[in-house]
Amino acid sequence: MKITTKVNLFITVSLLVSLLIVNTIVFFLFMKTTVNMEAHLVFKNASEMLKKCHISKSLTLEKNLLNSYMPSHSFIRIVGPNSTTINQVTNDKVLVQKISPTFSTEKNFELRPFQEHQNLVVHVPIHQNHKVIGTLEISERLSRLESRKDIILSIMGTVTIVSVLLSFLAGRWLSAIIMKPIVSMISTMEDIEQSGTLKKIGIQTETKDEVHKMAATFNRMISKLKENSDKQRQFISDASHELKTPMTAVSSFITILRRHGTQDETIAKEAIEAIYLEINRMKNLTKTLLSLAELEDSEPVDIKSVDLVSLSKALVTQFMQVYDRPIILHKNSTPFSSREMN
């Protein structure tokens, strides 16, 4: 799975989960607040009913009075201490049969589901001589609650769908912005792999974020690789040049030995000695080159002074023996005859 897909999926799922949690909390608070408001209205009507009516010990009330306070799909009844109905009016006979009377000494309310609806049941104790002699029980179907619940659910569903869609589009846009330098880096790496040529990533804007730092680090790495590659080529060139000189000298003295053989002991001895010196020189040179290859740039190089006059005399002697011709060395504007060197 691509990183862009992962980022997009993560953002969308995170938003969806967050919306579900928020919607659940909002829906719960809405239902609780609405039910509390409905219960408050019913409690208010019950209190007015009890204030206007004189309730005897028989707990009887006029049905006309009860009907004046009764909403649609509800019932009002007086419940005695043994949870028996003493007086009752209703406009929903099914509802009154399903909800049994309950005697309560405390003011409370509850929700009871019935026929796919929520029904609010309120209990208000009836006091007489500081004693609870009965309970005024009022129940009504919360039809407005159902309609409001459908509205808020539809609103939440629409908002969730639109938010997830916008999140998906925003996630694609954001992932494209984040992955643009990474895609450029991948393309550059593929070009380097195919062509073998080191290239840098083009950074158009400095965003100072992690992706920009990664691209800048990649470019610094490419610069370091180019520098090391140039040093490697220079090292190979220098090593070849340094090894060429002693190899030429060894080859020259071998030519002398092949030409004169070992008959002339003086020439043979000089040639063997020179070959031995050049072999040791090559050995030391190879060791030095290997050491240089392992050293970092910060390591100091051991530089020694060389007597160019003595070195030149030795080379003149070697060349004169190899090519069998006179060679003159000039130093300090004074001619020096090769014949005098011997």
Side-chain angles (χ1 to χ4, degrees):
M1 184 182 294
K2 295 183 179 179
I3 296 180
T4 53
T5 305
K6 291 181 180 179
V7 172
N8 200 5
L9 184 61
F10 176 77
I11 293 176
T12 303
V13 172
S14 299
L15 179 62
L16 180 60
V17 173
S18 300
L19 286 175
L20 290 176
I21 295 174
V22 172
N23 289 342
T24 302
I25 296 174
V26 170
F27 181 76
F28 174 78
L29 294 177
F30 166 78
M31 292 291 293
K32 185 177 181 180
T33 303
T34 305
V35 170
N36 288 336
M37 291 175 62
E38 293 289 342
H40 177 73
L41 293 175
V42 176
F43 280 130
K44 184 178 179 181
N45 292 334
S47 298
E48 292 179 358
M49 188 186 308
L50 294 176
K51 286 180 182 179
K52 290 182 179 180
C53 302
H54 176 71
I55 303 176
S56 61
K57 292 183 179 181
S58 60
L59 298 175
T60 57
L61 288 175
E62 296 181 2
K63 290 188 176 182
N64 292 332
L65 179 62
L66 297 178
N67 287 327
S68 63
Y69 286 94
M70 186 173 59
S72 60
H73 298 286
S74 64
F75 66 81
I76 300 176
R77 59 191 173 194
I78 305 297
V79 181
N82 53 357
S83 296
T84 57
T85 302
I86 297 175
N87 202 356
Q88 172 179 283
V89 291
T90 181
N91 52 22
D92 192 333
K93 294 181 179 181
V94 178
L95 178 64
V96 77
Q97 292 176 357
K98 291 294 183 181
I99 299 178
S100 58
T102 303
F103 176 78
S104 176
T105 59
E106 295 180 356
K107 186 178 178 180
N108 58 61
F109 70 91
E110 59 180 328
L111 284 178
R112 294 187 183 181
F114 175 64
Q115 292 184 350
E116 299 180 357
H117 293 281
Q118 293 291 336
N119 295 276
L120 177 65
V121 181
V122 174
H123 301 97
V124 179
I126 301 173
H127 295 272
Q128 197 173 74
N129 298 326
H130 305 288
K131 183 180 180 181
V132 178
I133 61 174
T135 301
L136 176 62
E137 189 175 66
I138 304 174
S139 177
E140 67 172 301
R141 179 183 298 178
L142 299 179
S143 55
R144 289 178 298 179
L145 176 63
E146 296 298 328
S147 61
R148 292 173 184 173
K149 183 174 69 173
D150 293 338
I151 292 174
I152 193 172
L153 286 176
S154 62
I155 292 174
M156 288 180 176
T158 303
V159 171
T160 300
I161 294 174
V162 173
S163 299
V164 169
L165 180 60
L166 293 177
S167 172
F168 178 77
L169 296 176
R172 288 178 61 89
W173 175 73
L174 179 62
S175 59
I177 293 178
I178 295 176
M179 291 301 299
K180 185 176 181 181
I182 298 179
V183 172
S184 177
M185 188 182 302
I186 294 174
S187 177
T188 303
M189 290 179 179
E190 291 177 348
D191 292 340
I192 293 174
E193 181 182 11
Q194 294 176 1
S195 63
T197 303
L198 298 177
K199 299 179 182 179
K200 291 185 177 181
I201 299 175
I203 304 177
Q204 298 179 354
T205 57
E206 295 186 1
T207 55
K208 301 301 181 181
D209 55 8
E210 289 78 3
V211 178
H212 176 269
K213 291 181 180 180
M214 182 172 62
T217 303
F218 178 82
N219 287 341
R220 290 195 299 270
M221 181 186 67
I222 292 297
S223 299
K224 191 68 175 179
L225 290 175
K226 285 184 177 181
E227 181 181 354
N228 292 337
S229 179
D230 294 338
K231 289 182 178 180
Q232 184 180 15
R233 286 194 294 268
Q234 184 64 37
F235 175 79
I236 293 174
S237 176
D238 294 342
S240 300
H241 181 269
E242 292 295 331
L243 290 174
K244 184 177 180 180
T245 301
M247 290 296 293
T248 302
V250 171
S251 177
S252 300
F253 284 110
I254 291 176
T255 302
I256 292 175
L257 291 175
R258 292 182 63 186
R259 181 184 302 171
H260 299 283
T262 56
Q263 297 176 359
D264 191 337
E265 294 183 1
T266 302
I267 295 177
K269 186 176 181 181
E270 290 180 357
I272 293 173
E273 186 66 23
I275 290 174
Y276 176 77
L277 292 176
E278 294 299 330
I279 290 296
N280 287 333
R281 181 184 173 189
M282 279 197 304
K283 184 187 296 184
N284 294 331
L285 181 59
T286 303
K287 183 178 179 180
T288 301
L289 291 176
L290 291 176
S291 299
L292 289 175
E294 296 176 355
L295 292 177
E296 295 293 337
D297 296 338
S298 59
E299 294 291 336
V301 179
D302 187 14
I303 301 177
K304 296 181 180 180
S305 59
V306 177
D307 187 354
L308 295 179
V309 175
S310 300
L311 178 63
S312 300
K313 289 181 178 180
L315 292 175
V316 166
T317 301
Q318 294 177 5
F319 290 154
M320 186 179 63
Q321 294 176 349
V322 172
Y323 298 104
D324 194 19
R325 62 183 61 183
I327 299 176
I328 299 175
L329 174 65
H330 298 271
K331 62 182 180 70
N332 294 331
S333 301
T334 302
F336 178 76
S337 175
S338 60
R339 300 300 179 182
E340 297 176 359
M341 293 170 55
N342 297 328

